[in-house]
């Protein structure tokens, strides 16, 4: 009989990174039925996931998402944070955390509560060194691996759809520079105005050097996690800039597959969003990693890929470094194998009687 696996602490299928995470877990559990519930009024197609209104009793539970344990209020513990912790207590001996980061907004009392819960789970595996260090110092027997989306593979059908997406913009992939973007809220301290000003400068600089800047939308979710308005603001100032929107059009592949394929065939990419970098690396391409948190910095440090923090970003000075990534490749096979092995190690502990 197939195992029933429940994904808990889910966020939304309207965020490409999260959707990729959900499919990645399902892909590593080919003999299981994987259930999940979402807050989305209408969910996006996410291969391998059975979307339901309420989770049934399951043989094991996987806490998913990336920065799901954000705690937005300084010195207080938010209701949303407590609800996320509560999901870990459904069946702690059969629950694992895999591929998450502990954001810096989770500290003090909220981090103490999180560590208390984590110490009682079947397995905990995080994706960045800083999170691993914080948890082990708090007495959590945490493992260190990489983001679960590294387990994903690129399909030829998705490449065909990505080509169609570029054609609809009247551009060819070999001229396109994909740039992901995002808004920042109370969870992150970045200056939205300065960030957008830098992206405008980047787009103008790329155009002057014969490239086609293309803003990649990766989220149409909630609050600041919605990329279209920011992209439109930039296009108003640099009209020659294009927008690649994987959420529109009639396609058969998942949105994250189309994004992964676009990153694989474009000239090069600038990864502001974390999963732009992950999906690019998982396709064998090296992005310029423009990070805003510990999870992104970890990629540049551990995998030795080019990039910098948003605070250090100087588009005109760094564009030549970006251009060099066009000819670089990344050997994703060892990372994929490690993620798959680490996950199976954790999963076997959670599924045990």
């Amino acid at each position: 009989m197939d195992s029933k696996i429940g994904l808990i602490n889910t966020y939304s299928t309207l965020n490409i990174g999260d959707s990729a995470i959900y499919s990645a877990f399902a892909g590593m559990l080919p003999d299981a039925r994987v259930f999940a519930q979402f807050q989305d009024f209408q969910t996006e197609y996410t291969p391998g996931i059975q979307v339901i209104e309420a989770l049934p009793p399951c043989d094991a539970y996987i806490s998913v998402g990336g920065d799901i344990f954000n705690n937005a209020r300084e010195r207080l513990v938010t209701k949303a944070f407590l609800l996320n912790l509560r999901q870990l207590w459904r069946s702690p001996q059969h629950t694992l955390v895999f591929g998450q980061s502990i954001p810096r907004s989770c500290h003090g009392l909220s981090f103490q509560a999180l560590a208390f819960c984590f110490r009682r789970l079947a397995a905990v595996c995080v994706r960045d060194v800083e999170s691993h260090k914080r948890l082990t110092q708090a007495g959590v027997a945490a493992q260190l691996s990489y983001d679960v989306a590294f387990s994903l593979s690129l399909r030829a059908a998705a490449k065909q759809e990505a080509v169609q997406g570029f054609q609809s913009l009247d551009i060819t992939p070999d001229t396109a520079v994909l740039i992901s973007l995002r808004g920042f809220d109370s969870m992150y301290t970045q200056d939205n105005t300065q960030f957008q000003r830098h992206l405008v400068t980047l787009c103008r600089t790329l155009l002057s050097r014969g490239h086609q800047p293309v803003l990649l939308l990766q989220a149409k979710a909630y609050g600041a996690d919605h990329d279209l308005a920011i992209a439109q603001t930039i296009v108003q100032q640099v009209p020659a800039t294009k927008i690649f929107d994987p959420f529109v059009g009639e396609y058969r592949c998942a949105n994250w597959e189309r994004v992964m394929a676009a990153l694989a065939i474009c000239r090069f990419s600038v990864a502001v969003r974390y999963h732009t970098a992950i999906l690019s690396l998982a396709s064998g391409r090296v992005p310029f990693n423009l990070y805003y948190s510990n999870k992104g910095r970890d990629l540049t440090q551990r995998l030795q890929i080019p990039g910098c923090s948003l605070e250090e970003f100087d588009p005109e000075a760094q564009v030549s470094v970006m251009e060099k990534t066009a000819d670089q490749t990344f050997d994703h096979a060892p990372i994929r194998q490690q993620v798959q092995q680490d996950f199976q190690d954790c999963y076997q502990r959670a599924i045990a009687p």
Side-chain angles (χ1 to χ4, degrees), residues 72-92:
R73 300 182 67 185
E74 187 77 19
R75 299 186 184 87
L76 295 173
V77 180
T78 65
K79 181 180 179 181
F81 181 84
L82 290 174
L83 290 173
N84 285 333
L85 286 190
R86 182 181 178 184
Q87 292 196 52
L88 299 177
W89 286 100
R90 180 189 297 258
S91 180

Side-chain angles (χ1 to χ4, degrees), residues 10 17 22 98 101 140 153 210 230 233 273 275 289 332 336 346:
T10 52
Y22 308 143
F98 192 90
S101 294
V140 178
S153 298
I230 301 171
T233 298
R273 282 192 174 269
H275 277 93
N289 186 31
H332 49 80
R336 176 176 288 112
C346 293

Side-chain angles (χ1 to χ4, degrees), residues 24-214:
F25 280 118
M28 293 192 293
L29 295 166
D31 299 323
R33 286 180 290 164
V34 183
F35 300 95
Q37 59 184 123
F38 302 102
Q39 60 182 307
D40 307 332
F41 177 73
Q42 183 173 352
T43 58
E44 295 288 319
Y45 169 54
T46 304
I49 301 301
Q50 297 185 37
V51 180
I52 53 176
E53 293 186 2
L55 281 183
C58 293
D59 299 292
Y61 301 91
I62 305 172
S63 180
V64 300
D67 290 351
I68 198 70
F69 294 108
N70 263 308
N71 183 60
R73 300 182 67 185
E74 187 77 19
R75 299 186 184 87
L76 295 173
V77 180
T78 65
K79 181 180 179 181
F81 181 84
L82 290 174
L83 290 173
N84 285 333
L85 286 190
R86 182 181 178 184
Q87 292 196 52
L88 299 177
W89 286 100
R90 180 189 297 258
S91 180
Q93 70 275 21
H94 294 296
T95 297
L96 68 130
V97 169
F98 192 90
Q100 294 185 331
S101 294
I102 310 305
R104 292 182 177 178
S105 64
C106 179
H107 62 272
L109 185 59
S110 61
F111 179 71
Q112 293 175 32
L114 182 67
F116 176 84
C117 290
F118 275 12
R119 286 194 291 266
R120 283 148 182 81
L121 302 183
V124 174
C125 187
V126 292
R127 63 186 178 183
D128 69 276
V129 169
E130 183 176 316
S131 296
H132 182 255
K133 182 178 180 180
R134 291 181 67 193
L135 289 173
T136 54
Q137 288 177 342
V140 178
Q143 295 177 234
L144 175 63
S145 189
Y146 291 95
D147 189 88
V148 67
F150 270 113
S151 68
L152 297 169
S153 298
L154 185 59
R155 294 196 300 148
K159 280 191 175 184
Q160 293 173 358
E161 292 189 353
V163 168
Q164 293 171 16
F166 284 123
Q167 288 175 342
S168 70
L169 300 176
D170 294 324
I171 58 177
T172 58
D174 58 356
T175 65
V177 177
L178 284 177
I179 308 164
S180 62
L181 68 172
R182 62 162 298 154
F184 297 99
D185 54 18
S186 59
M187 301 293 186
Y188 303 103
T189 59
Q190 280 71 24
D191 184 329
N192 275 306
T193 301
Q194 180 179 336
F195 171 56
Q196 291 179 32
R197 186 165 58 246
H198 281 165
L199 287 187
V200 167
T201 301
L202 174 60
C203 290
R204 287 173 175 159
T205 302
L206 290 169
L207 285 165
S208 71
R209 296 168 75 95
H211 306 297
Q212 173 60 63
V214 181

Side-chain angles (χ1 to χ4, degrees), residues 219-232:
K220 64 169 188 176
Y222 311 101
D225 196 27
H226 197 296
D227 298 339
L228 181 58
I230 301 171
Q232 290 173 332

